[in-house]
Every structure is written in C-alpha cells, then in structure tokens.
Amino acid sequence: MPELLLNVQDLKKHYRTRKGFFSRTPAWVKAVDGVSIRIQKGETVGLVGESGCGKSTLGRLILRLEEPDAGTVHFEGEDILTLSADRLQLLRRQMQIIYQDPYSSLNPRQRVDSIIGEPLDIHGLAKGKKREEEIVHLLEIVGLRTEQRLLYPHQFSGGQRQRIAVARALASRPRFIIADEPVSALDVSIQAQIVNLFIDLQSRFDLTYLFISHDLNLIEYIADWLAVMYLGKIVEWARQDVIFSNPIHPYSEALFSATPTLDPLNKSRRILLQGDVPSPINPPSGCRFHTRCPLSLEMCRQDEPALSPRPNGSLVACHVR
C-alpha cells in the first residue's frame, strides 16, 4: 500500500488589498481558500486550472515560502508550519521547487558550478573535491557537459537553463519536488525532452512530484492523479485516467473539452463557458462556479458544495453531479 508523503488540510491564504485606488477600505484576495490534498510517495499529482486560480500560491504555501493564514501541511507526518527556522532548514533538503522561467530563477552573476553547488554548501553535503565531483555528476544526470559548469546562465538556451535548475533542485537529494509550470516557457520541441527528464529522474531517485501546469496533454502524460482548481478551491480530484475519460464537475468538463487533439476520430464538442472568472476579492456565494455553470440550480447559489466521493473514486464538489 502506498505511503502518505504529504497531507495538506484546509490551507488558506488571503492577501490584503484595497477596493479601489483612492479607497482606504481594505479588501482581501482569497488566493487559496480551504484546499486539501494528499500525495503518496512516488506519485505525481497534476494541478490544473485557469490562470489566477491559486495554483502557484498553493505550491509556495506547501513549501512555506509564504506563510498560510490557516490550515496544516504535514510532510511525512510532521507539521512543517510549526517548525523552528533550524528544523525547517533541515527539512528543506527534502522539499524543492522548480520555477517556470529558468532565466529569472538563476542568478545571472553566478557560474553554473556556483548555482548547483549552493545547496551543497548550505546543507553541508560536500566540500572540496567531493563537491566538484558532485556538481559534475549532477550535470551529467540532467544531460549537460562537464565543461559547461564554468559558464553563466546567459550562455545557455532556455532548455539548458531549465536543466541547470533541475540539477540545482536535485543537489540536496530531495524526496518531493514542486514543478511550477516548468516547461511552459520553453519551445515545444524542448518541452518533451524536459518532461521525459522528469519522468526518468522520478524512477531513478524515487521522487514525488506536484506538477503545476495549464497544459492538459502534458499532465495526461506525466500525472498519476489530477486536482482541478477553480478560484482558490479544488473542485475535482481523481485518477488521471478516470478524469480524462469522464470528468464529472462542469468546470472540469469544460476545461477538458478545450484540449486540442490530433485524433481525427475524436471530435468532442467544445463547451464554451459564459462570462468572466469572478474576482477572488469578492467570490460568488455558494458554489464559486455557479455564475458560469450551465447546470446551476438555486442551491448552487446558496450552499457551497464539499468535495464528496463518487462511484468512480473521484472527489467532486458539485450539487448537481
């Protein structure tokens, strides 16, 4: 039976802002508003949703790069939100993040050997000759040449820079990696190489991933489980094969209907949602999707649905389905 690695319960993050440019009245952006997810060791969970729904914020909260307002995050049974700074630094060896833009996430003034060697220095993992050997080994793992360790980030292509970012994340030998749109800034021809690199590294180092992306074809290829997020909340959670064959939540259904396909025999009907995504400052009452949902009922406007199990093993937050 798979062992639970990460257990997130009712995580929330609200940002204080103003209602207008001249207004002094505070308002709150509900970026993440009561999210719960569970990730087993060795699995890949895909997190999808429209831009601005809170995916990247959720990733930062899990790693405590930002402090949540409420909720718990247990990593291997330990609540990381209660840890001291020293204990948290030790735990950071096990939890890493790879960002969307490999150029802005790398220090342009540092050579590659300094970028990859920094985690080794911070955690005291290797010094001297052993440090240099480890850097060379990490470069080889991600498909870069030994002599490239003396170059700067601007001397690499986008795909190569992302390989450097992957090598830096691997330096501390983590068990859990959050990949936040790691290939969206790359050419399509390079994306497949980087995704295959992620898959190879997972089997090689027994890694667990939270893979954040808006590319559903990519998520179908790499993920074991899928979480669909809308306006700060998870609306559907299911196995990848189950949700791609039969999405239940109306938002999931519309999202998957927009996925392009090369199969001429698969001409599914595109579902066009009406209206714009509501503001996270003032989300709708009840179900947050009811303002755009073609199946909306009166109860959807009044009562917020909870994630509840369905016969196919999915968890869905919907009154209608």
Side-chain angles (χ1 to χ4, degrees), residues 219-231:
I219 289 294
E220 184 179 16
Y221 181 65
I222 196 173
D224 301 302
W225 291 84
L226 193 63
V228 180
M229 198 167 182
Y230 182 79
L231 213 60

Side-chain angles (χ1 to χ4, degrees), residues 156-212:
F156 293 88
S157 67
Q160 289 174 322
R161 286 196 290 264
Q162 196 62 290
R163 290 176 186 270
I164 296 169
V166 172
R168 178 179 61 184
L170 290 175
S172 64
R173 292 293 188 265
R175 304 185 63 188
F176 176 61
I177 292 179
I178 293 179
D180 187 2
E181 301 271 12
V183 300
S184 63
L186 308 179
D187 293 338
V188 174
S189 60
I190 305 299
Q191 289 182 6
Q193 297 178 21
I194 300 300
V195 171
N196 285 328
L197 175 64
F198 274 102
I199 294 174
D200 176 65
L201 294 175
Q202 184 173 37
S203 60
R204 186 170 180 175
F205 296 106
D206 193 25
L207 295 171
T208 303
Y209 292 141
L210 175 63
F211 210 94
I212 301 171

Side-chain angles (χ1 to χ4, degrees), residues 76-147:
E76 293 190 314
E78 188 172 22
D79 188 356
I80 71 170
L81 302 184
T82 63
L83 298 181
S84 64
D86 292 340
R87 177 66 186 126
L88 183 61
Q89 180 170 324
L90 290 175
L91 189 64
R92 289 202 189 282
R93 283 187 54 186
Q94 306 296 325
M95 308 170 72
Q96 293 292 318
I97 186 169
I98 298 171
Y99 293 100
Q100 175 179 358
D101 185 356
Y103 191 76
S104 62
S105 67
L106 302 177
N107 189 335
R109 298 187 179 186
Q110 284 186 318
R111 298 189 312 188
V112 168
D113 57 351
S114 297
I115 291 172
I116 299 177
E118 191 169 22
L120 302 175
D121 299 335
I122 291 174
H123 298 291
L125 299 178
K127 295 181 179 180
K129 184 178 180 180
K130 185 177 179 182
R131 178 182 183 275
E132 293 303 313
E133 291 174 349
E134 183 66 15
I135 292 172
V136 170
H137 178 58
L138 289 167
L139 286 172
E140 292 174 349
I141 287 175
V142 300
L144 295 174
R145 301 190 307 275
T146 300
E147 59 270 22

